[in-house]
Amino acid sequence: MVNEKVLVIDFGGQYNQLVARRVRECNVYCEIYSYKTPLEKIKAMNPKGIILTGGPNSVYEEGAPSCTKDLFEIGVPILGLCYGAQLIQHVLGGKVEKAIVREYGKIETEIDGSKDALFNGVSEKTTVWMSHNDYISKIGPGFEIIAHTLDCPVAAYQDTKRQLYGIQFHPEVLHTVQGKDILANFVKKICKCSGSWRMDSFVEESIKSIREKVGDGKVLLALSGGVDSSVAAALLSKAIGKQLTCVFVDHGLLRKDEGDEVEKVFGAGGMFDLNFVRVNAAKRYYDKLSGVTEPEKKRKIIGEEFIRVFEEEAKKIGAVDFLAQGTIYPDVVESGLGGESAVIKSHHNVGGLPDYVDFKEIIEPLRDLFKDEVRKAGLELGIPEYLVFRQPFPGPGLGVRIVGEVTEDKVRIVQDADYIYRSEIEAASNEYKKKHGEEPSWMPNQYFAALTNMRSVGVMGDERTYDYAVALRAVRTVDFMTAESARIPYEVLEKVMNRIVNEVKGVNRVFYDLTSKPPGTIEFE
């Protein structure tokens, strides 16, 4: 389905997904692979270009991630970023050493010489994001320096004859002011990509592909009601209609009233042509989670119990031809299957074919898409905006928004607090839009309430209390890989606090989380 492709070779950098995202923003398809990927496999994919990511190591250390010079002789343009730039020099005759002055953060960079290719349209002096302990002290034969900073003599280099390029900074992060322009120059001007990969063609081709693959077979999908599984259900429904059965397991860890909302949209009389089965399994989950406090263990229990419930329903349905899943590309990469970076978290829908359903093959129609691309696909399929743009919600649900043990009462507390929080944010945003005709600049991209495991003394009326503290989380982000806390007006937060303390039994304190990502994560566990 994809005629032209750029490969991102991952050397363990924290921004590997972000690099791929920026390339796709240029309407060029991109995939991430480990540096351990055999050269023959890379050649067989016939890429239009290759980007080498950053990484935490020093290229000159024994055992550091590396490659052979054969990679640079396959005849396609290659761009090295940070560690990738140093690696090209290390392999091809340059020299990399420990930097006398470490650069970190926003640095002014001066472009030297020709601006015909990589730096076409980029200002002579531009702000970039540096993050390195080592530097290129000498470039190899055939290369020329095309950018420098006060403390970094080789901020960028090129060898136009061999089509090899390297930049010491990170063009993929928003702090690099013209980073997107630099990457666009590489994939379009240097790699000669047409930039024709768009969501309407993806949806059309996916529907055609699903019809051809499924034929008159039956498909079973686990529907959570989240964006990913909803778009997967819509895509499959559009392709095969009633040949699709969706099983919705309500584990009791959803947001307030969300189970009923999912049934209203996807169940009988809803907007989709499919078979819908709802299973109410909250009691089973609460029993399994009793006494468990470790985050990853909670995730695994929730995933395993889902398998047990789903297995029971699958046996009732009988044999199907295909099992469908709402896996998206970050799930694949974060589970350690799409690159070299460490496993960030487990995903219960990634990692192999389950043996508890009688089926022939698995279908993952969204496996190659990032979250915002999934939303675009949802709009193309005609799903209402309020569903497409609903906030991200983790697969284990409120199980990872409750620090410590999960109980039915704690779920009730966080559901009620979260409902109040989201209601007041939406009300404040709507009021602002009525007055100003636009969304407020502080409006978060994701916001929710979490229940901490901290209890403290308080006074309510004339009585002493010893209750829980609720943490409010709200972030502004473009890609959910980096994020900053949203600057919600104090009067809005104060109103939320008053309502939660007064209306939610078991809470006597409310905190607002100011932590950015990194160093924190958006979710609590």
Side-chain angles (χ1 to χ4, degrees), residues 218-220 310 314 318-325 352-363:
K218 294 181 179 179
V219 179
L220 180 62
F310 193 69
V320 295
D321 299 285
F322 299 89
L323 178 68
Q325 295 183 157
L353 304 182
D355 56 7
Y356 55 86
V357 178
D358 185 6
F359 70 102
K360 298 176 183 175
E361 198 173 341
I362 200 162
I363 294 180

Side-chain angles (χ1 to χ4, degrees), residues 130-151:
M130 289 282 193
S131 179
H132 64 98
N133 289 313
D134 298 325
Y135 81 117
I136 299 164
S137 59
K138 177 186 174 184
I139 58 172
F143 291 97
E144 63 173 320
I145 298 170
I146 56 174
H148 73 275
T149 72
L150 188 63
D151 295 306

Side-chain angles (χ1 to χ4, degrees), residues 91-152:
V91 173
L92 298 180
K95 189 172 183 180
V96 179
E97 298 180 275
K98 183 71 69 177
I100 299 172
V101 178
R102 177 180 183 268
E103 287 185 315
Y104 182 81
K106 296 179 181 179
I107 304 291
E108 185 177 76
T109 298
E110 190 168 344
I111 310 302
D112 303 310
S114 172
K115 292 169 57 175
D116 292 338
L118 196 61
F119 292 131
N120 183 63
V122 176
S123 303
E124 187 173 320
K125 291 185 178 181
T126 186
T127 300
V128 305
W129 184 263
M130 289 282 193
S131 179
H132 64 98
N133 289 313
D134 298 325
Y135 81 117
I136 299 164
S137 59
K138 177 186 174 184
I139 58 172
F143 291 97
E144 63 173 320
I145 298 170
I146 56 174
H148 73 275
T149 72
L150 188 63
D151 295 306
C152 182

Side-chain angles (χ1 to χ4, degrees), residues 288-442:
K288 288 284 184 180
L289 291 167
S290 178
V292 180
T293 59
E294 202 275 317
E296 189 65 10
K297 189 174 181 181
K298 286 194 290 185
R299 284 180 178 272
K300 288 181 177 177
I301 288 173
I302 293 168
E304 288 168 3
E305 190 61 16
F306 166 81
I307 291 174
R308 301 285 80 81
V309 177
F310 193 69
E311 178 183 19
E312 293 168 11
E313 294 305 313
K315 286 179 179 177
K316 295 176 187 176
I317 293 168
V320 295
D321 299 285
F322 299 89
L323 178 68
Q325 295 183 157
T327 310
I328 67 173
Y329 202 44
D331 298 340
V332 177
V333 176
E334 290 180 357
S335 295
L337 303 179
E340 189 56 31
S341 299
V343 174
I344 298 170
K345 56 186 175 182
S346 62
H347 294 268
H348 61 262
N349 60 337
V350 177
L353 304 182
D355 56 7
Y356 55 86
V357 178
D358 185 6
F359 70 102
K360 298 176 183 175
E361 198 173 341
I362 200 162
I363 294 180
E364 295 172 311
L366 309 178
R367 185 181 177 91
D368 294 330
L369 301 185
F370 285 95
K371 178 70 76 173
D372 62 321
E373 294 169 334
V374 172
R375 296 185 196 279
K376 290 177 183 176
L379 293 176
E380 286 289 336
L381 289 161
I383 301 176
E385 286 193 12
Y386 74 87
L387 277 180
V388 172
F389 291 103
R390 76 189 310 172
Q391 292 189 54
F393 193 62
L398 299 180
V400 294
R401 291 182 181 174
I402 296 172
V403 179
E405 182 184 16
V406 175
T407 67
E408 186 173 0
D409 191 51
K410 285 184 176 181
V411 171
R412 186 264 312 162
I413 289 173
V414 78
Q415 281 181 335
D416 289 347
D418 182 71
Y419 180 79
I420 289 170
Y421 184 32
R422 288 186 292 116
S423 298
E424 291 299 335
I425 292 291
E426 289 167 14
S429 175
N430 290 336
E431 184 179 343
Y432 184 94
K433 280 188 278 191
K434 284 180 182 178
K435 290 181 180 178
H436 303 280
E438 61 182 7
E439 192 172 77
S441 60
W442 53 260

Side-chain angles (χ1 to χ4, degrees), residues 211 232-242 244 271-274:
R211 283 175 180 161
L235 190 59
L236 289 161
S237 175
K238 195 86 168 178
I240 59 173
K242 283 284 200 302
L244 170 67
M271 62 181 294
F272 298 105
D273 182 29
L274 50 83

